[in-house]
Amino acid sequence: MDLLSIDSLSDGQIEEILDGGLRCFDRNRSQMRADSLDGRIVFNLFYENSTRTAMSFATAAHRLGASALSLSVEHSSIKKGETLEDTAATLNAMRPDALVIRHRENGAPAQVAAIVEAPVINAGDGTNEHPTQALLDAATIRQRLGRLEGLKIAICGDIRHSRVARSNAKLLPRLGADVRLAGPRELLPNDIPELSIDEAIEGADIVMMLRVQRERLEEDLGDVPGEYLSRYGLTAARFARAAPGALVMHPGPMNREVEIASSVADDPERSLIRLQVEMGVAVRMACLELLVGERAA
Ligand code: ASP
């Protein structure tokens, strides 16, 4: 079994990952090493930059007794022009137990999964999906609020380029949440109805802010410093429109004082941003156990 998109998971598998994530959370916090994947090898293949996802997959593998090996794309034969297919076939010949891939092209993980026999996990492909981020977001909300059912969740910012938004827009409604997507017109996909950030945030239980992905913009937004924050960013004043005690999330990396004010991001009571990172390790442990464990069984 591969984990390429939220749609590829059954409701039962989603529950298994979320429950497993909550269990692994304590195991990771107490820095315990389990042996459920003892002797297994997880390949990490990141063609795009990563801090949280790459390190949390590696940490998750180690916590389960597996070894995480990262290919340094900069120093690999990819730089000599090797194709994605040839790289996949080469890595497959080394017999890894799982392969985690991030790539700038939509669909690249599926191409690799067609070649690699071990489970392939999509760690973010272009503007398409980032399923383990959505799973860790859902587990974070469950851990803090005990449920997703009936929650109003505003996902705001650069929806057009966000694989995080795309995976969450599929997952969170399946778990009973009411999801609203909002952003500047030029950062919304054409098929999403226009909704202002203020309208989306009104009465929301959770506000999830997204990074402006300037590396994927064809034309710069042309905004002057401070303009994005005041028009579309999460300032304390804008956050006050949300439900009392509402919580804020961000997948990281943050553009501080662009899509989110530091005073909101660093609020010790209402910001879940560090908890999301911690849950990232736990949920990726659960994913590896499900995929690699299932294959071994
Ligand atoms: N880290 C997330 C991703 O890789 C979000 C972002 O980069 O803005 O999609």
Side-chain angles (χ1 to χ4, degrees), residues 48-50 52-53 102 123-124 126 130 133 161-164 210-213 215-216 250-253:
E48 273 193 340
N49 296 349
S50 175
R52 278 148 289 269
T53 308
R102 166 170 290 185
H130 193 352
Q133 176 72 42
H161 301 108
S162 179
R163 51 200 179 202
V164 175
L210 301 171
R211 182 174 68 88
V212 184
Q213 305 210 2
E215 77 274 24
R216 296 190 210 276
H250 191 302

Side-chain angles (χ1 to χ4, degrees), residues 174-185:
R174 275 176 75 177
L175 298 167
D178 165 19
V179 172
R180 313 157 181 182
L181 303 175
R185 180 69 263 166

Side-chain angles (χ1 to χ4, degrees), residues 107-188:
Q111 265 174 274
V112 167
I115 296 166
V116 170
E117 287 154 76
V120 171
I121 302 179
N122 178 3
D125 60 329
T127 57
N128 181 37
E129 278 222 43
H130 193 352
T132 60
Q133 176 72 42
L135 289 160
L136 78 87
D137 289 338
T140 303
I141 298 169
R142 263 211 190 150
Q143 208 238 22
R144 185 62 182 259
L145 298 178
R147 69 190 166 99
L148 276 123
E149 189 72 47
L151 292 182
K152 295 188 183 73
I153 303 180
I155 304 182
C156 304
D158 186 356
I159 308 281
R160 182 186 287 267
H161 301 108
S162 179
R163 51 200 179 202
V164 175
R166 201 149 287 113
S167 287
N168 267 312
K170 290 180 176 178
L171 178 66
L172 300 178
R174 275 176 75 177
L175 298 167
D178 165 19
V179 172
R180 313 157 181 182
L181 303 175
R185 180 69 263 166
E186 57 272 52
L187 297 181
L188 278 182

